[in-house]
């Protein structure tokens, strides 16, 4: 018999401090992610954010949700993103994931969304019959350095056994390949653009962002940016500790940086703001606001940051940036299209604006944290 327990925001701190949580073999949320949840400006104390499945006293599955809000027709609509589902390997294919989803749908009054999903999770969502596709983006992934040890092992057991060899190949190939960047300082960016790294959003940046906020999917964008910067889910550590090893999803990376850039053109006009996040071997731009004239200059900034941190790849979904990234000819060893779909529950669909009228950001959902 499976028993399901729900955890509200108001109960979350007590739960992660409890002996029951500390003694778990598999934890349903990392301590830093829990702290981030508690600081989420888009949620209320009554929001349910965790569902736990127990068989007798053993935790055999869990479902995490991320509260969010949108404004449509002058109404604030609360909903949640499906953000992490786990079932104990010995208990899979017994309906536990579907049971947890049913509880989530009921608790959130059938107002849920998901994106950035694993194939196994999507199968559960589709099986429920409660979701429809809401929006589709066709992004671009570009590779600057070779990531064979990261990309190939998850695809095949033979590749997993060869991971040490792939690590050696990556080091050799990238040592040679990095030589092409030794004279990269004289690029177009350094001549036409000045960037200023800021530690927190200043008044000039906040005023600039507010000009673009009306057509973004999520509301209260300024406070959301502050929250993402201050309360990440992933911490920089050389090695995961015992608590990290209990959590199925990523909670640490050997490299983590949140970089906020103000971009000025050759006439010293403020033309763009970028939030750049470095996680391990990849770069993401969860939020980006720019004048049309400045977009042609942004790919060089991306390239320079990837060179600076010796990153292997980045994936971009911003419609304004994709065309420019395809045009970027220098530096990258490989490019490919990569889709991202957004699904919403049938119960939420009528409360949402036309997706084609929105400006989607790469960080929408939980993507800014993962």
């Amino acid at each position: 018999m499976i028993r399901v327990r729900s955890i509200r925001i108001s109960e979350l701190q007590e739960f992660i401090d409890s002996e029951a949580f500390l003694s778990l073999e598999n934890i349903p949320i990392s301590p830093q992610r829990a702290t981030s949840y508690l600081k989420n400006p888009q949620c209320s104390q009554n929001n349910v954010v965790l569902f736990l499945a127990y068989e007798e006293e053993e935790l055999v599955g869990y479902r995490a949700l991320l509260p969010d809000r949108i404004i449509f027709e002058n109404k604030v609509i609360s909903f949640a993103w499906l953000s992490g589902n786990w079932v104990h390997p010995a208990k899979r294919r017994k309906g536990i994931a579907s049971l947890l989803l049913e509880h989530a749908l009921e608790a959130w009054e059938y107002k849920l969304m998901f994106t950035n999903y694993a194939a196994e999770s999507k199968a559960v969502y589709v099986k429920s019959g409660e979701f429809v596709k809401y929006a589709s983006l066709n992004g671009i992934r570009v590779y600057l350095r070779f990531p064979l040890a990261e990309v190939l092992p998850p695809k095949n057991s033979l590749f997993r056994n060869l991971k040490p060899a792939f690590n050696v190949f990556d080091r050799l190939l990238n040592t040679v390949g990095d030589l092409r960047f030794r004279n990269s300082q004289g690029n177009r960016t350094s001549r036409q653009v000045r960037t200023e790294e800021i530690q927190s959003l200043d008044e000039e940046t906040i005023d600039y962002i507010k000009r673009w906020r009306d057509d973004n999917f999520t509301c209260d964008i300024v406070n959301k940016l502050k929250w993402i910067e201050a309360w990440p889910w992933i911490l920089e550590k050389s090695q995961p500790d015992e608590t990290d090893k209990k959590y199925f999803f990523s909670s640490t990376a050997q490299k983590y940086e949140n970089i906020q850039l103000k971009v000025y053109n050759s006439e010293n006009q403020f033309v763009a703001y970028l939030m750049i996040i470095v996680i391990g071997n990849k770069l993401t731009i969860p939020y980006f606001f720019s004048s049309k004239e400045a977009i042609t200059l942004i790919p060089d900034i991306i390239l320079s940051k990837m060179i600076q941190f010796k990153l292997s790849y980045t994936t971009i979904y911003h419609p304004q940036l994709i065309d420019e990234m395809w045009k970027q000819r220098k530096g990258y060893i490989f490019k490919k299209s990569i889709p991202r779909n957004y699904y919403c529950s049938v119960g939420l669909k009528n409360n949402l604006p036309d997706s084609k009228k929105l400006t989607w950001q790469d960080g929408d959902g939980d993507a800014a944290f993962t």
Side-chain angles (χ1 to χ4, degrees), residues 5 27-30 33 37 48-53 59-67 80-88 92 96-102 104 108 112-122 124-125 131 233 247-250 365-367 369-370:
R5 176 188 176 186
I27 58 175
I29 191 169
S30 66
R33 180 167 173 169
Y37 268 40
V48 181
V49 292
L50 279 178
F51 289 93
L52 313 177
L59 180 69
V60 294
Y62 57 79
R63 152 71 59 201
L65 298 106
L66 178 65
W81 296 92
L82 296 169
S83 182
N85 174 62
W86 175 85
V87 175
H88 192 286
R92 290 172 185 170
I96 294 174
S98 295
L99 177 63
L100 290 167
L101 178 60
E102 289 173 14
W108 279 90
L112 299 177
M113 290 191 69
F114 70 89
T115 189
N116 203 29
Y117 45 81
E120 297 85 354
S121 294
K122 185 187 176 185
V124 173
Y125 307 150
F131 295 91
W233 296 357
Y247 187 51
F248 179 77
F249 300 95
S250 298
D366 62 3
F369 293 97
T370 59

Side-chain angles (χ1 to χ4, degrees), residues 7 10 117 133 140 202:
I7 305 289
S10 59
Y117 45 81
K133 187 183 292 186
I140 180 174
D202 54 31

Side-chain angles (χ1 to χ4, degrees), residues 180-364:
R180 70 194 192 276
F181 303 131
R182 287 196 301 181
N183 298 317
S184 63
Q185 297 304 313
N187 61 26
R188 181 177 55 170
T189 298
S190 62
R191 297 193 302 272
Q192 297 186 10
V193 171
R194 176 174 67 88
T195 61
E196 176 188 346
E197 186 171 335
I198 56 175
Q199 299 304 310
S200 59
L201 297 177
D202 54 31
E203 289 187 13
E204 182 184 35
T205 307
I206 290 172
D207 289 342
Y208 185 81
I209 291 170
K210 285 180 177 179
R211 298 182 205 171
W212 309 94
R213 66 181 176 180
D214 291 341
D215 64 348
N216 279 272
F217 179 74
T218 190
C219 63
D220 197 12
I221 189 67
V222 170
N223 282 329
K224 186 168 187 177
L225 293 172
K226 292 179 179 179
W227 168 52
I228 293 167
E229 189 278 327
W231 305 103
W233 296 357
I234 294 178
L235 301 179
E236 183 174 286
K237 293 182 181 180
S238 58
Q239 295 291 333
D241 60 28
E242 291 306 311
T243 300
D244 300 319
K245 293 176 183 177
K246 290 183 175 184
Y247 187 51
F248 179 77
F249 300 95
S250 298
S251 59
T252 68
Q254 292 189 343
K255 195 184 303 178
Y256 182 90
E257 295 274 350
N258 185 306
I259 304 158
Q260 300 189 75
L261 288 182
K262 297 170 70 172
V263 181
Y264 297 85
N265 64 15
S266 58
E267 297 176 355
N268 207 35
Q269 297 171 320
F270 183 19
V271 293
Y273 162 84
L274 290 83
M275 175 179 277
I276 298 173
I277 295 182
V278 174
I279 302 178
N281 220 10
K282 70 177 180 180
L283 177 146
T284 65
I285 304 180
Y287 289 92
F288 158 75
F289 303 90
S290 169
S291 67
K292 291 182 179 179
E293 296 75 19
I295 291 172
T296 59
L297 303 174
I298 304 304
D300 273 352
I301 296 174
I302 295 171
L303 179 62
S304 67
K305 287 300 176 185
M306 293 184 71
I307 294 171
Q308 177 185 344
F309 289 97
K310 294 186 175 182
L311 304 178
S312 292
Y313 65 97
T314 183
T315 308
I316 304 291
Y317 294 99
H318 295 286
Q320 308 98 314
L321 270 180
I322 292 170
D323 288 344
E324 294 301 325
M325 293 298 292
W326 278 113
K327 293 175 187 176
Q328 176 77 289
R329 297 187 179 277
K330 58 188 174 185
Y332 300 114
I333 57 176
F334 183 64
K335 300 178 183 180
K336 69 175 183 178
S337 295
I338 186 162
R340 175 182 284 180
N341 296 316
Y342 296 81
Y343 290 82
C344 68
S345 56
V346 176
L348 181 61
K349 181 71 185 304
N350 291 336
N351 294 305
L352 297 177
D354 183 347
S355 66
K356 295 179 181 178
K357 296 180 179 179
L358 296 170
T359 297
W360 291 91
Q361 296 274 6
D362 290 14
D364 290 337

Side-chain angles (χ1 to χ4, degrees), residues 123-136:
V124 173
Y125 307 150
V126 171
K127 182 181 176 182
S128 74
E130 293 290 346
F131 295 91
V132 293
K133 187 183 292 186
Y134 176 51
S136 296

